[in-house]
Structure formats: C-alpha cells, structure tokens
C-alpha cells in the first residue's frame, strides 16, 4: 500500500511563492509517476502537473506553465511543486497522486492519493 503525505501549504499573498511537498512510504517510489492535482471549493479536481519516474519528463496544465515547477528527489521519496507568481485563483486543496506506467492528466488514472494540503492566496 502506498501512502502519500503532503505538506507545505499555507497562506500567501498574490505574487508570492510557495512550495508544497509530498513524501511516500513505498519502497518502489522510483517506479511511480507522480502528479499534483488541486480542487477549489465548488469545483472539480483538476490536473496541475506530473513527472515521470526518473524525473526527465514533466507535463503541465496550461494554468501552471511558466509559474509552477514539479520536481522529485528519489533518494528522499519526495515530489515537490514550486509555485511562483501565485494568484487568488490558485487557492485550492493540493493533492499528490501516484500511478504506474505513463504520465497522465486524468485523475481517474491515479490509484494513490494523499489527503491534501490547503493553499490560500490572498489578493
């Protein structure tokens, strides 16, 4: 069973930066595709970014391109999302997710999920 634990959320002013982290308990972390999704109040969960098992391929939602960077440290069983130039529309619960095989932007393709971390961007 894979357990994912997010951390690093919080309150930040518009234009600011924040980094959220996700650590896993699995011993096969290096085989997982990792991704970040987010869900704002009253909205569906949406894809933010994904990274391949080796970290050499990434995939971003249009809303994240140029502002967010996904990275991973396989030695630490961790994946990160660096968020810059934050805007109030980025306010959401951010979820870490894992799957095998290939990058995907579809939430239903991810078998493992964390509990989420709240990110709030004030105007």
């Amino acid at each position: 069973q894979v357990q994912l634990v997010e951390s690093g959320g919080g309150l930040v002013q518009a234009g600011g930066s924040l980094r959220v982290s996700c650590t896993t308990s699995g011993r096969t972390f290096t085989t997982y595709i990792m991704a970040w999704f987010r869900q704002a109040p009253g909205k569906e969960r949406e894809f933010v970014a994904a990274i391949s098992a080796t970290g050499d391929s990434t995939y971003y939602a249009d809303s994240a391109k140029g502002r967010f960077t996904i990275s991973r440290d396989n030695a630490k069983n961790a994946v990160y999302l660096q968020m810059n130039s934050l805007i109030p529309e980025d306010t959401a619960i951010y979820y870490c997710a894992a799957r095998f095989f290939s990058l995907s932007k579809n939430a239903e393709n991810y078998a493992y999920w964390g509990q989420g971390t709240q990110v709030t961007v004030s105007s």
Side-chain angles (χ1 to χ4, degrees), residues 14-91:
S17 299
L18 200 64
R19 188 179 82 157
V20 291
S21 303
C22 172
T23 56
T24 76
S25 60
R27 290 183 289 178
T28 57
F29 178 75
T30 56
T31 64
Y32 303 149
I33 303 296
M34 300 299 298
W36 288 96
F37 289 79
R38 67 185 184 185
Q39 187 166 19
K43 295 188 177 181
E44 293 187 352
R45 191 168 300 191
E46 66 172 356
F47 170 75
V48 177
I51 188 166
S52 63
T54 58
D56 58 354
S57 296
T58 56
Y59 182 28
Y60 292 94
D62 288 343
S63 60
K65 287 179 183 176
R67 300 189 301 127
F68 294 2
T69 302
I70 188 170
S71 62
R72 66 190 295 158
D73 185 339
N74 285 346
K76 296 182 179 179
N77 280 12
V79 61
Y80 309 100
L81 184 68
Q82 176 67 44
M83 302 181 286
N84 299 326
S85 302
L86 285 161
I87 58 178
E89 290 74 17
D90 294 319
T91 295

